[in-house]
Amino acid sequence: MNLYDRIPNNVNLSEDKKLQRALEKWLPNYLDWWREMGPEGFQEKDVWLRTAVDVGSEGWAHFDYVKMPDYRWGIFLEPPQPDAKVGFGDNYGRPAYQEVPGEFRNALRRIIVTQGDTEPASVEQRRQLGKTCPSLYDLRNLFQVNVEEGRHLWAMVYLLHGYFGRDGRDEADELLARRSGNPDKPRILEAFNQPCDDWLNFFAFTMFTDRDGKYQLSALAESGFEPLARTCQFMLTEEAHHMFVGDTGLGRVCRRTAQLMKEGDVRELGGIPLEIIQKYINFWFSYSLDLFGGEISSNSADFFAAGLKGRYKERDQYTDHLATNENFTMTVVEDGQLKTREVPLRNALNEVLRGEYVKDCEKGLARWNKVLADEGASERLYLPHPRFHRHVGEFAGHTFDLQGNLISRDEFERRKSEWLPTMEDREYVRSLMHPVFEVGKIANWIAPPAAGIKGKPFEFEYVRL
Ligand SMILES: [Fe+2]
Ligand SMILES: [Fe+2]
């Protein structure tokens, strides 16, 4: 097979023999993984997809019908900056790392593997979803997100193969061996082992969990390891579409629910009640907060000191790129009570990034609440307190209500069916998930989008079945 016709790239793949050999071995395994774990039942269908063929504003979004296994998963980095410098930490102002610095090798590999593992995991979580799509437009968006998560895996595997030698190749193989939700070989992060088997889950996932991805990638886009920074900068352009799918998807569910509320009982009319939407928000927001890591973290301090992982918009938003003299005031649990504690800023960077993320999520909630208001509903959706339902960090092991008040485990257990999706809620949502495969038609529980993709109308054959 001619590898270079298959893999569009801007990294001179044809001239790098070492990388060539590594990718030649990895590519067939990747395709086996895609056929086994990619979208089930649609592999031979033509899907109207965008393919990145260049990083320029024109070239990277080329639209055409493609069968997913024939998708050209490319390797693209933003162009290098001349005289790039390490933008923060102890090596601030020194030349950016073009190779992996020996002393940071393990930390850097860990960062890349952890990010890389989320990409195939999310494809695995959604592999049954196509069978219950609410419209061809949504089906196409699902597949677009899927192939791009596949490309994000390629992006991380390129770094492992290109910069880490043998252990990088071993890690790249492991990325294809773990399986979402498999008790023996689970994916690394817990949110990526949760089932995502209905469309409300999918929209909440792309809204909240892909948005965590945006903040992780943004912090890595600041990295002093230049190949990683340039890779993540380009991934962010694709990530924006994933969040669009989640944000507008939930907005359309809210619109339909509010419309049905005017007609009568939402359940009787086959819609998704606002209480259930709220519980899904509570579930995915809290799991996504965990992805930022512990509130107080020596890893975050080490990564920052090493110049590997910066803050959100480190270059644009801050003037002090050393962050050695400041403290951060944090709430912690001590002796069964909430107390404040001063923490050196570098140890609080996970929490700083999480704070940026929460602000961004709040904007999404405001958009959905505007939809509810526009449709004449007086109810509003909200984010739970960031302490609610946490499994990582300072608040794991303690129980909180939606307002962030410390409560007993008993009270949490008694009330959690009000706050988190129950088996019945999930079954109810699943009971609504009947596929709509006709061009221009849409399921009853969701409103159509305001516009189609790339100038096409909603009534376009986005997937040829
Ligand atoms: Fe991704
Ligand atoms: Fe994504």
Side-chain angles (χ1 to χ4, degrees):
M1 108 185 68
N2 187 340
L3 197 61
Y4 308 106
D5 291 346
R6 281 224 48 144
I7 309 174
N9 70 89
N10 66 353
V11 293
N12 270 337
L13 207 50
S14 57
E15 284 162 32
D16 188 334
K17 293 293 169 225
K18 191 180 110 200
L19 190 56
Q20 183 178 338
R21 275 195 301 277
L23 285 175
E24 267 165 358
K25 269 191 79 180
W26 192 78
L27 173 65
N29 296 338
Y30 170 80
L31 289 174
D32 285 349
W33 168 82
W34 179 269
R35 288 194 180 273
E36 188 195 329
M37 298 311 295
E40 194 176 292
F42 297 90
Q43 302 270 356
E44 299 311 317
K45 305 298 181 193
D46 284 319
V47 186
W48 200 65
L49 293 174
R50 76 173 177 194
T51 305
V53 291
D54 183 17
V55 293
S57 56
E58 287 299 299
W60 78 273
H62 174 81
F63 283 76
D64 207 346
Y65 284 106
V66 187
K67 291 181 178 48
M68 283 182 278
D70 300 334
Y71 189 78
R72 295 168 75 223
W73 283 282
I75 299 171
F76 293 103
L77 279 63
E78 286 291 326
Q81 300 282 341
D83 301 326
K85 302 271 194 287
V86 177
F88 55 90
D90 295 346
N91 293 327
Y92 174 63
R94 301 217 187 128
Y97 321 130
Q98 299 301 333
E99 293 294 331
V100 177
E103 68 268 41
F104 309 142
R105 186 185 166 83
N106 286 344
L108 203 44
R109 193 182 58 214
R110 188 80 203 144
I111 289 172
I112 293 168
V113 166
T114 306
Q115 177 62 41
D117 193 66
T118 66
E119 316 289 359
S122 66
V123 174
E124 292 165 0
Q125 284 169 293
R126 299 161 186 170
R127 61 189 296 261
Q128 304 294 345
L129 268 184
K131 295 171 183 170
T132 57
C133 68
S135 72
L136 290 184
Y137 164 92
D138 291 288
L139 187 62
R140 177 257 166 222
N141 285 349
L142 167 70
F143 294 155
Q144 183 71 59
V145 174
N146 281 337
V147 293
E148 285 176 353
E149 299 304 6
R151 205 201 67 76
H152 291 176
L153 171 61
W154 274 86
M156 293 297 121
V157 164
Y158 159 73
L159 294 175
L160 290 169
H161 278 169
Y163 293 89
F164 288 88
R166 196 206 158 105
D167 46 334
R169 292 194 290 279
D170 290 345
E171 292 283 12
D173 291 343
E174 284 300 302
L175 288 171
L176 295 177
R178 286 185 285 271
R179 289 287 180 273
S180 175
N182 183 321
D184 298 323
K185 246 184 166 330
R187 291 294 174 181
I188 295 169
L189 298 169
E190 223 19 67
F192 293 86
N193 287 308
Q194 302 296 323
C196 184
D197 49 6
D198 66 62
W199 282 77
L200 192 59
N201 272 321
F202 173 61
F203 292 137
F205 187 103
T206 40
M207 169 71 192
F208 291 111
T209 309
D210 281 74
R211 194 171 306 274
D212 155 74
K214 168 185 166 182
Y215 283 86
Q216 301 302 333
L217 292 173
S218 299
L220 296 175
E222 302 285 340
S223 183
F225 178 46
E226 229 219 343
L228 176 63
R230 291 165 51 207
T231 302
C232 291
Q233 286 156 16
F234 183 63
M235 289 164 75
L236 280 165
T237 58
E238 290 163 322
E239 210 58 68
H241 176 67
H242 308 179
M243 290 178 289
F244 163 86
V245 168
D247 191 344
T248 57
L250 277 170
R252 291 159 54 209
V253 178
C254 290
R255 182 175 301 282
R256 185 62 185 146
T257 296
Q259 289 166 350
L260 293 173
M261 284 161 68
K262 287 183 269 190
E263 292 173 28
D265 182 84
V266 173
R267 270 179 194 258
E268 277 171 24
L269 295 167
I272 303 179
L274 283 182
E275 309 89 80
I276 294 187
I277 299 174
Q278 182 65 55
K279 290 186 197 180
Y280 275 60
I281 292 171
N282 298 345
F283 180 88
W284 284 107
F285 179 66
S286 57
Y287 266 110
S288 302
L289 291 174
D290 282 340
L291 296 172
F292 289 82
E295 279 69 11
I296 303 171
S297 162
S298 58
N299 272 345
S300 83
D302 292 345
F303 292 166
F304 187 86
L308 301 181
K309 185 176 178 187
R311 287 169 289 186
Y312 181 62
K313 297 192 173 167
E314 177 73 42
R315 284 174 173 82
D316 300 342
Q317 193 169 216
Y318 296 95
T319 48
D320 167 19
H321 298 294
L322 302 183
T324 37
N325 297 323
E326 275 178 79
N327 282 338
F328 185 91
T329 309
M330 181 113 52
T331 304
V332 296
V333 182
E334 260 175 33
D335 308 325
Q337 285 187 320
L338 290 173
K339 301 237 169 94
T340 56
R341 191 194 294 172
E342 294 284 305
V343 180
L345 180 56
R346 283 187 179 189
N347 291 75
L349 293 180
N350 288 343
E351 183 62 7
V352 172
L353 195 60
R354 190 167 16 238
E356 297 278 3
Y357 167 82
V358 172
K359 276 194 281 177
D360 201 10
C361 290
E362 277 163 358
K363 292 182 199 158
L365 268 292
R367 284 188 287 273
W368 305 335
N369 282 332
K370 176 155 189 320
V371 168
L372 294 177
D374 288 349
E375 294 291 341
S378 56
E379 290 83 349
R380 295 292 177 263
L381 297 163
Y382 52 87
L383 291 177
H385 195 281
R387 289 196 284 269
F388 173 74
H389 190 236
R390 294 288 302 281
H391 299 82
V392 170
E394 285 298 307
F395 308 117
H398 303 283
T399 38
F400 298 89
D401 65 13
L402 291 178
Q403 286 74 40
N405 301 307
L406 197 53
I407 56 171
S408 69
R409 167 83 40 201
D410 282 350
E411 187 180 354
F412 181 84
E413 290 299 325
R414 224 173 24 246
R415 299 191 60 192
K416 77 175 181 195
S417 65
E418 298 166 38
W419 298 333
L420 293 166
T422 61
M423 287 289 278
E424 294 76 44
D425 294 331
R426 290 179 186 282
E427 271 163 31
Y428 175 72
V429 172
R430 268 200 295 272
S431 77
L432 301 178
M433 301 287 135
H434 302 295
V436 177
F437 290 139
E438 283 159 87
V439 176
K441 293 274 165 52
I442 186 131
N444 178 51
W445 53 268
I446 185 168
I453 295 291
K454 187 75 178 171
K456 298 285 186 209
F458 173 67
E459 302 82 5
F460 175 73
E461 194 174 15
Y462 288 103
V463 185
R464 290 181 178 145
L465 295 172

